[in-house]
Amino acid sequence: MASVNSLIFKDYELKIVNTDVIVPALPMQQHILPLSNLDLTIPPVSVHVFFCYKNPFPRTFGSALSHLRNSLSRVLASYYVFAGRLVTDSISLPKLHCNSKGVLMTQAYAAAPLSTLDLYNPDESVEGKLVPLLSKPSEEDCLPVFAVQVTEFSCGGIVVGCTFDHRIADAYSANMLFTSWAKISRNDSTVSPNPTFSRSKLCPRDSPTCCAELKIYKDGKNYTKLEVFSAYLWKLLICTQKVQDTLNCKIGIVVDGRPRLRAIGVSANYFGNVLILPFAESNAHYVRNKPLCWSAGLIHDAIQSAANEENFQSLIDLVETTKPTPVLPKIYCRGDGKEPSGPAVLVSSGLRFPLYEFDYGWRKPTFGSYHFPWGGEAGYVMPTHSPAGDGSWIVYMHLPLKKIYAIESDLNRVLVPIQQDFLASA
């Protein structure tokens, strides 16, 4: 998918029918949950995810909506942080007030068949229509951190769209909630692990210390598919945009720290942000002219050298020493101000997320995707598995137009635009 204007885009009228506040099914004691220092590396941005279902109902839409409300209330008993509100402390740092104020669930109707949804243009067809905004229910309330919208299309298909505040959760955490919500909805008795909200394992050291530089080392020549894809995308953007040879170019990879921090007690079901953004860099000449394995090696080394316990701990310490000034990942920095800097791109993998397993009791989704309209000039790229289940990928891209046009000019056609009738043929 790509965020560009399309001549074949078919607009549709959307009507908001109703909005409810869904509170946790079980009462809990109010408390303040501080954000971890890793949460504080995330700017105040929202992440959207949506799931499309083609005429899924053996029941009426009203009864299905009621079913979703009830199951959301039940899952919020465990994931109560999503029913809370963001507040700020005396130095303007955000904290989460776990007060069970609830999640806004909006019911909407789209006067168009689901097959007309233009997935090539999520900025036009999804954002502001199928995924809700995080807004205060009232003047007296504080900012919610999670919202849901369920949209019925004229053909009987529906879209379940969700929005969450990235400062509260990363995509891994959100998928924990979606998985548990779907299990509860279809009365699946399989036990899901409860989320862990304790921040004790991600505290700064008594004497915060930050690494001056990263150590680079080789770790064999076996590269992951994501590393090879990222290397290909990097090379493609530099070649097709005819980037000047001497310009320094970057590619960043979002890395989940949970598997790398188990030794210090960070569990697989930790809820929050455990992300680090290592990046590879080189002048355009080498990326353009060296073989693909060379660029994949740079990316591999950047991940291996940065995504370890010491660097996560250093990042935690760095945030501690700079509060309340935010820490910005270097992938978004345009050089040192002395020398011109080339293009940058940020890649995050959605390949581990079970987007097509979210069955709420009627059937699995026909299509699912994240929508993250942020990233500035660097942009944001996320490959996910295709719903076809044939090993192909759907690659979400939110990039500046010049980068989109550069990718689409590739004669190899490894990446091709998603078609307007994708949902009709899926």
Side-chain angles (χ1 to χ4, degrees):
M1 293 187 294
S3 295
V4 299
N5 292 326
S6 170
L7 295 177
I8 60 173
F9 174 69
K10 298 177 181 178
D11 202 356
Y12 58 92
E13 180 183 355
L14 186 83
K15 179 182 179 181
I16 301 300
V17 178
N18 186 43
T19 299
D20 290 328
V21 178
I22 311 300
V23 299
L26 298 176
M28 59 162 294
Q29 185 174 1
Q30 294 190 32
H31 62 281
I32 297 293
L33 181 68
L35 302 192
S36 76
N37 280 4
L38 293 181
D39 292 327
L40 295 177
T41 66
I42 306 297
V45 294
S46 296
V47 181
H48 311 292
V49 60
F50 62 97
F51 308 102
C52 304
Y53 300 85
K54 291 174 65 174
N55 195 17
F57 298 113
R59 62 182 86 188
T60 65
F61 177 76
S63 64
L65 185 63
S66 177
H67 181 68
L68 283 175
R69 289 174 179 144
N70 291 335
S71 57
L72 177 59
S73 176
R74 291 167 61 193
V75 79
L76 288 175
S78 296
Y79 289 85
Y80 54 83
V81 294
F82 268 160
R85 297 291 186 267
L86 269 179
V87 296
T88 55
D89 63 14
S90 58
I91 58 172
S92 299
L93 288 176
K95 297 181 182 293
L96 187 61
H97 188 190
C98 300
N99 55 9
S100 298
K101 283 293 187 71
V103 171
L104 269 66
M105 178 179 275
T106 300
Q107 176 188 352
Y109 178 79
L114 185 60
S115 59
T116 64
L117 183 61
D118 188 1
L119 297 175
Y120 185 72
N121 287 275
D123 275 356
E124 297 291 337
S125 60
V126 175
E127 186 176 354
K129 288 189 173 181
L130 301 180
V131 290
L133 297 176
L134 293 177
S135 57
K136 296 181 180 181
S138 66
E139 288 294 328
E140 297 77 23
D141 205 351
C142 295
L143 186 67
V145 296
F146 185 56
V148 178
Q149 178 176 314
V150 184
T151 304
E152 180 186 16
F153 281 72
S154 61
C155 61
I158 68 167
V159 171
V160 178
C162 303
T163 300
F164 61 92
D165 193 308
H166 200 346
R167 292 171 292 180
I168 302 303
D170 53 19
Y172 184 97
S173 301
N175 273 275
M176 289 166 55
L177 171 113
F178 297 142
T179 299
S180 296
W181 185 11
K183 282 186 175 182
I184 288 175
S185 292
R186 62 177 185 267
N187 294 317
D188 186 337
S189 59
T190 306
V191 177
S192 297
N194 286 325
T196 298
F197 302 111
S198 172
R199 307 316 198 207
S200 62
K201 304 301 181 183
L202 296 177
C203 291
R205 290 173 284 205
D206 292 337
S207 299
T209 306
C210 305
C211 290
E213 59 184 4
L214 299 178
K215 294 179 181 181
I216 301 296
Y217 60 93
K218 284 287 183 182
D219 187 22
K221 295 185 178 181
N222 295 320
Y223 306 131
T224 66
K225 290 181 180 179
L226 181 68
E227 289 168 345
V228 174
F229 164 77
S230 301
Y232 170 78
L233 178 65
W234 197 22
K235 189 181 186 78
L236 176 62
L237 287 171
I238 288 172
C239 290
T240 54
Q241 292 183 102
K242 297 181 172 61
V243 178
Q244 183 181 333
D245 276 355
T246 56
L247 287 183
N248 193 49
C249 305
K250 299 176 184 177
I251 183 165
I253 309 293
V254 179
V255 178
D256 177 19
R258 289 170 181 81
R260 297 162 173 85
L261 298 178
R262 287 176 184 166
I264 63 171
V266 177
S267 66
N269 57 329
Y270 173 82
F271 190 97
N273 287 281
V274 195
L275 304 177
I276 199 167
L277 274 64
F279 63 91
E281 59 182 332
S282 173
N283 67 50
H285 171 79
Y286 287 116
V287 179
R288 180 184 289 112
N289 294 292
K290 292 280 189 179
L292 192 64
C293 62
W294 182 86
S295 298
L298 287 185
I299 294 169
H300 177 84
D301 287 346
I303 294 172
Q304 293 298 319
S305 63
N308 56 58
E309 180 184 331
E310 173 57 31
N311 280 286
F312 271 97
Q313 187 65 67
S314 291
L315 178 57
I316 292 169
D317 290 351
L318 175 62
V319 174
E320 188 68 18
T321 59
T322 60
K323 287 178 179 177
T325 302
V327 174
L328 181 69
K330 288 185 178 179
I331 184 65
Y332 297 117
C333 298
R334 299 283 291 173
D336 57 8
K338 300 177 182 178
E339 298 292 336
S341 178
V345 65
L346 180 64
V347 179
S348 178
S349 175
L351 298 170
R352 295 177 302 144
F353 302 147
L355 292 176
Y356 301 105
E357 298 301 317
F358 299 133
D359 179 356
Y360 291 99
W362 38 80
R363 67 175 61 164
K364 295 180 180 180
T366 304
F367 181 79
S369 177
Y370 276 80
H371 175 50
F372 189 45
W374 186 77
E377 183 66 22
Y380 187 83
V381 175
M382 175 185 272
T384 62
H385 289 294
S386 165
D390 57 1
S392 60
W393 291 358
I394 298 289
V395 182
Y396 170 82
M397 295 185 174
H398 197 277
L399 298 171
L401 279 176
K402 60 184 177 182
K403 293 183 179 179
I404 292 294
Y405 294 150
I407 289 170
E408 293 185 352
S409 69
D410 178 28
L411 297 179
N412 293 319
R413 304 287 286 171
V414 172
L415 295 167
V416 296
I418 200 167
Q419 297 300 308
Q420 167 73 18
D421 61 350
F422 177 82
L423 284 176
S425 57

